[in-house]
Amino acid sequence: MIDPDHLRKEIHEKASSISTLEELFQLKSAVLGRKGKLTHYLRSLGQLPIEDRKRLGSQLNALKEELESLFIQKERELEEKKIKESLTKERVDVTLPGIKFHFGGRHPLIQVWEEIEDAFLSLGFDIYESPEVEWERYNFGALNIPPDHPARDMWDTFYITEKMLLRTHTSPGQIRCMEEQKPPIKAIMPGLCYRHEAVDATHMDVFLQIEGLVVDRDISFADLKGTLELFVSLIFGPDRKTMFVPSYFPFTEPSAELLIFWEGSKGNSSHGGEWLEVLGCGQVHPQVLRNVGIDPRVYSGFAFGLGVERITMLKYNIPEIRLFMENDLRFLEQFK
Ligand code: PHE
């Protein structure tokens, strides 16, 4: 018995309880598919008497259209539902606190080191590197400090063997540079140095030094002074008070130290208002030139070795050299 109303009711009921697209497709093919119920009804119309065929035919065709649009609508609903479900599953909770990345900064000593290098590069110097582990001959002997020389006490260090040590200054770089290159030479040599030293607010047993060396014809002490004064004004501005005082180094003659006036941090009167030695310097000793095969009657030169920690302390009013090594973020973050 073909009963369109019954079929309509049945399909509407089934459709209303469907919750997935798969179920919907199954229902659709069970009704409208090749072997579907409605298809079957439509096919069997031909066996009916003409009156029934007409009436049922138009009813079934109307039902077919109705069910087709029901399935389309149902399909849309289920698709929307599926999208909504996956959206809620994948939802980003924007109220969750984010992950904070900690951005590091460059160490103040590295920053000032590069500033100093830039200053000398702008004055036409090259950068020359020399090793931290050094032969005793380069650290002392070739610099005019024989084994029994009292100046060795100034630079007590860590020995690896009797002949090999951690360099106490960057001055052995002068020897290496002059052995490799012919004058004119105009170079700086930066790097770490080591000393067996009593550590205090302005002394460390490891520190950064930048050596400078100029060798050419007619290089005078005036060239040394002019270069260093220019350097100070590049780093500190034109008004910084400086003072050259006589000194002694076995590898320079005459020798001097450059002092820079330290205003000191306001809250720390014990480290303010004094002169701080930032470098040793002088004209290259004729014997040092002879040691590397440069004729001192033709060439002369000057050299200096400056302390990067000291320059940094002066630049930022840091009263305590040990702060550079303590890795305290409260200190380091001020230089980001
Ligand atoms: N090497 C010396 C020091 O470390 C500094 C210096 C370098 C002095 C070059 C004169 C010339 O104390």
Side-chain angles (χ1 to χ4, degrees), residues 6-218:
H6 187 262
L7 185 60
R8 172 184 292 113
K9 225 177 127 206
E10 184 195 323
I11 303 306
H12 272 276
E13 261 168 28
K14 281 192 177 157
S16 68
S17 68
I18 270 175
S19 59
T20 67
L21 282 165
E22 290 72 29
E23 286 171 345
L24 177 68
F25 294 140
Q26 270 168 23
L27 179 64
K28 199 169 150 187
S29 87
V31 181
L32 299 173
R34 239 164 16 96
K35 291 182 180 162
K37 218 170 186 174
L38 188 55
T39 317
H40 174 70
Y41 282 174
L42 283 166
R43 263 196 216 127
S44 54
L45 279 177
Q47 294 148 21
L48 297 176
I50 183 82
E51 276 308 302
D52 291 348
R53 196 194 302 169
K54 272 192 173 170
R55 184 178 47 84
L56 279 176
S58 72
Q59 281 182 8
L60 286 178
N61 275 318
L63 180 61
K64 192 182 173 197
E65 269 178 35
E66 183 190 324
L67 292 181
E68 273 169 350
S69 60
L70 172 73
F71 290 145
I72 288 173
Q73 191 204 334
K74 194 74 193 171
E75 192 177 331
R76 255 186 232 140
E77 276 171 26
L78 289 172
E79 255 162 12
E80 256 172 51
K81 193 176 137 214
K82 201 173 162 187
I83 290 170
K84 266 191 202 147
E85 275 170 5
S86 66
L87 282 181
T88 36
K89 234 189 276 158
E90 293 164 13
R91 198 178 57 192
V92 177
D93 183 352
V94 291
T95 64
L96 275 177
I99 301 164
K100 276 198 187 133
F101 290 101
H102 184 85
F103 288 102
R106 275 157 8 113
H107 194 279
L109 284 181
I110 303 293
Q111 293 182 35
V112 172
W113 176 358
E114 287 185 359
E115 244 180 85
I116 296 171
E117 280 188 349
D118 284 346
F120 281 111
L121 287 174
S122 78
L123 297 176
F125 283 73
D126 295 325
I127 297 176
Y128 181 89
E129 281 181 46
S130 70
E132 278 172 41
V133 177
E134 192 50 283
W135 297 111
E136 174 267 3
R137 189 173 78 76
Y138 282 94
N139 198 78
F140 294 124
L143 286 167
N144 217 14
I145 316 171
D148 54 353
H149 197 287
R152 289 218 181 187
D153 285 351
M154 271 162 70
W155 292 292
D156 194 9
T157 185
F158 306 94
Y159 282 82
I160 290 159
T161 66
E162 219 172 287
K163 297 275 170 223
M164 195 194 272
L165 44 78
L166 295 184
R167 66 176 173 194
T168 59
H169 47 183
T170 42
S171 299
Q174 291 185 36
I175 304 298
R176 288 179 177 273
C177 188
M178 287 189 287
E179 278 181 353
E180 266 181 35
Q181 300 174 20
K182 297 258 157 295
I185 292 170
K186 203 173 174 188
I188 53 167
M189 296 147 243
L192 284 174
C193 302
Y194 303 83
R195 278 183 204 178
H196 181 69
E197 183 108 53
V199 173
D200 65 21
T202 49
H203 295 87
M204 283 283 285
D205 43 14
V206 51
F207 57 97
L208 257 175
Q209 209 174 43
I210 297 183
E211 191 83 4
L213 175 69
V214 174
V215 183
D216 202 350
R217 290 168 195 267
D218 301 324

